[in-house]
Amino acid sequence: LSNLAEACDLEVAGALTQNVKHIHKGYYMGPGKVEELRMLIEHEDSELVVFDDELSPSQIRNLEEELKCEVIDRTTLILNIFASRAKTREAQLQVEMARLKYLLPRLIGTREDLGRQGGGSGLKNRGAGETKLELDRRKIEEKISKLSTELEQLTLQRKTQRKQRNKKDVPVAALVGYTNAGKSTLMNAMLEKYGDKDEKLVFEKDMLFATLETAVRRLELENNRVFLLTDTVGFIHKLPHHLVRAFRSTLEEVTEADLLIHVLDASDPNHEQHKLLTEKVLHEIGVKGIPMIYAYNKVDLTDMESPSVSNSRVYLSAKKRQGLEELTNKISTEILNDYSQQTMLIPYTDGEIVSYFNNNADVISTEYDEKGTILHVICKNSDAEKYSQYVIQE
């Protein structure tokens, strides 16, 4: 919660906790603790109190009356962070929709707000009219409906892009993990090593939810094997379900991936809990049966040996650019295994096919025969099948 507050440019003045069997219906915490909190606010001259759980409208109202300062809950704080970081139209729509869905059941009307709009002399047959509360609710529902329509169009565009990628038969690896584990740093490190110079680097910063947009970048290894790397929004403990639902279309990139690279902050003492939480969210959004590599990042801040590989685990430092080759080798083993070694005799009249294999396959050796060019290549099975008339058995 403290890190979230700092990510929202708030200075943390103090913290207060209470162990209780039951949450107080009126104040969330016990009345005695509320008084203790009021004294802490006065002492620190604080302007805002953030609670770690979702508060009901009546709890917020009661607490603000007692504490004489603004009160928000964890969900509001996360929504504020997301709103300030959303750059693309899709991310902005998703955040706004989550905010409105959270706000809808929390509309609180004062006595003045609840006054009738209709009624009175000469208007008896028109009915009572809408209350201010009902009017606000209807406006929000209409806005949610409008946002949903616009988001659906963007989701269709994303699905079309995925179909086009699938047609090209390019495998996809998706980076997933807890927020601030170093996914974007790892993405940029891989781009520097294997990406095209025209490929744009993604935003990276040491803070929670630095990136909300899903970025897809094309990587080409030295042996001409190509795959797409996807950077996704990070997860966090108690991520509001409104946000998970709103970002579902973005997270679908994960469900369509051929491989998941689960990035963990090895320097964080709670990284194993973060691992379990991320896997729980992945399960909730329908991720099943996709192979996973665990990339233990930031090992330069620990006593762990780097770079090193152990089964499905790769220990690396994206910032120091250590362990990238080891990770790439694991990725190759998992998703770039649809390749086979072939020997082909290509007539000199079909020189464009030789050029194709030089650009799209790993050419081990080239020989020249009176009948044509003999290529020893490691190529996609689909290419071997497509040009099977040139394959010769040794």
Side-chain angles (χ1 to χ4, degrees):
L1 189 66
S2 176
N3 289 340
L4 283 171
E6 285 164 10
C8 209
D9 297 324
L10 298 172
E11 186 186 336
V12 180
L16 200 65
T17 58
Q18 183 180 25
N19 292 323
V20 287
K21 289 181 180 178
H22 304 289
I23 287 171
H24 193 281
K25 282 185 179 179
Y27 294 105
Y28 173 75
M29 48 172 42
K33 212 70 177 176
V34 173
E35 180 59 26
E36 192 180 328
L37 179 58
R38 190 183 62 76
M39 290 166 69
L40 180 63
I41 291 165
E42 285 179 6
H43 181 263
E44 297 292 343
D45 197 23
S46 300
E47 299 169 353
L48 177 74
V49 180
V50 186
F51 283 78
D52 197 33
D53 286 311
E54 276 196 13
L55 299 176
S56 69
S58 59
Q59 285 171 341
I60 292 172
R61 189 173 60 240
N62 293 342
L63 285 165
E64 286 185 339
E65 282 176 8
E66 290 292 327
L67 302 174
K68 302 292 185 286
C69 77
E70 189 183 351
V71 172
I72 64 169
D73 57 17
R74 183 189 181 91
T75 301
T76 305
L77 189 65
I78 294 174
L79 286 168
N80 287 344
I81 295 168
F82 270 58
S84 65
R85 305 276 160 80
K87 298 289 184 288
T88 64
R89 180 63 183 154
E90 185 178 20
Q92 287 166 352
L93 288 172
Q94 288 165 329
V95 173
E96 179 63 5
M97 191 144 119
R99 190 185 70 81
L100 291 172
K101 283 189 173 178
Y102 174 73
L103 186 65
L104 191 60
R106 286 171 165 72
L107 286 176
I108 309 166
T110 62
R111 288 190 184 94
E112 288 174 27
D113 288 331
L114 294 171
R116 300 287 182 181
Q117 289 184 306
S121 177
L123 297 169
K124 288 177 182 174
N125 295 329
R126 290 193 186 182
E130 286 182 301
T131 64
K132 177 74 166 60
L133 198 60
E134 286 165 349
L135 184 65
D136 289 346
R137 189 170 283 129
R138 184 162 58 81
K139 280 181 180 174
I140 289 176
E141 284 170 349
E142 284 170 0
K143 197 166 182 184
I144 289 172
S145 178
K146 190 179 173 186
L147 291 172
S148 296
T149 307
E150 201 173 335
L151 262 176
E152 277 171 24
Q153 291 171 346
L154 290 170
T155 304
L156 283 172
Q157 285 176 18
R158 193 180 282 282
K159 282 182 179 173
T160 305
Q161 288 169 349
R162 274 204 298 269
K163 276 182 187 173
Q164 287 170 346
R165 292 203 296 263
N166 291 339
K167 276 181 187 173
K168 290 177 182 174
D169 203 26
V170 181
V172 178
L175 295 167
V176 297
Y178 207 76
T179 182
N180 208 28
K183 295 183 294 301
S184 299
T185 307
L186 181 57
M187 174 85 145
N188 286 340
M190 295 288 279
L191 271 172
E192 282 176 16
K193 193 170 176 66
Y194 303 111
D196 193 301
K197 63 179 183 297
D198 297 326
E199 290 279 18
K200 201 167 76 170
L201 296 178
V202 297
F203 178 70
E204 61 173 91
K205 195 173 178 183
D206 183 16
M207 63 181 182
L208 304 186
F209 301 118
T211 41
L212 300 183
E213 288 74 38
T214 296
V216 182
R217 300 288 185 268
R218 183 180 185 272
L219 300 182
E220 186 173 334
L221 308 183
E222 285 91 345
N223 53 16
N224 287 330
R225 298 187 191 185
V226 174
F227 70 97
L228 296 175
L229 189 63
T230 303
D231 186 19
T232 58
V233 64
F235 301 125
I236 196 167
H237 181 53
K238 292 196 276 193
L239 185 66
H241 60 277
H242 299 296
L243 274 173
V244 175
R245 277 209 299 265
F247 276 77
R248 188 170 287 276
S249 61
T250 306
L251 295 170
E252 275 174 12
E253 291 285 352
V254 176
T255 63
E256 299 282 330
D258 301 290
L259 172 71
L260 298 182
I261 302 165
H262 188 160
V263 184
L264 294 148
D265 180 355
S267 66
D268 192 315
N270 299 314
H271 68 261
E272 284 300 320
Q273 288 101 303
H274 296 169
K275 175 183 165 186
L276 293 172
L277 182 115
T278 301
E279 288 174 350
K280 183 180 172 221
V281 177
L282 289 172
H283 180 72
E284 284 171 6
I285 62 172
V287 173
K288 289 175 187 172
I290 302 175
M292 189 180 285
I293 294 171
Y294 294 95
Y296 283 79
N297 189 25
K298 306 187 188 182
V299 288
D300 54 306
L301 303 175
T302 72
D303 298 329
M304 296 179 189
E305 189 183 334
S306 166
S308 62
V309 181
S310 173
N311 298 322
S312 61
R313 299 180 174 201
V314 181
Y315 297 89
L316 54 90
S317 170
K319 194 174 182 181
K320 301 273 185 182
R321 305 305 192 245
Q322 297 169 353
L324 299 182
E325 286 183 17
E326 286 78 1
L327 178 62
T328 307
N329 290 338
K330 288 296 289 182
I331 294 169
S332 297
T333 306
E334 290 291 346
I335 59 172
L336 300 175
N337 52 10
D338 188 27
Y339 286 73
S340 58
Q341 189 167 334
Q342 305 289 345
T343 302
M344 296 184 174
L345 174 59
I346 300 165
Y348 291 119
T349 52
D350 294 337
E352 72 278 0
I353 295 170
V354 175
S355 177
Y356 174 81
F357 279 109
N358 278 320
N359 291 326
N360 296 282
D362 186 8
V363 178
I364 300 164
S365 65
T366 306
E367 298 169 34
Y368 300 98
D369 188 79
E370 56 187 24
K371 293 179 181 177
T373 307
I374 298 171
L375 291 181
H376 297 277
V377 299
I378 295 173
C379 64
K380 285 182 186 177
N381 290 335
S382 56
D383 281 343
E385 201 174 313
K386 185 177 178 182
Y387 299 105
S388 58
Q389 72 267 34
Y390 302 111
V391 176
I392 56 173
Q393 303 297 324
E394 291 188 290

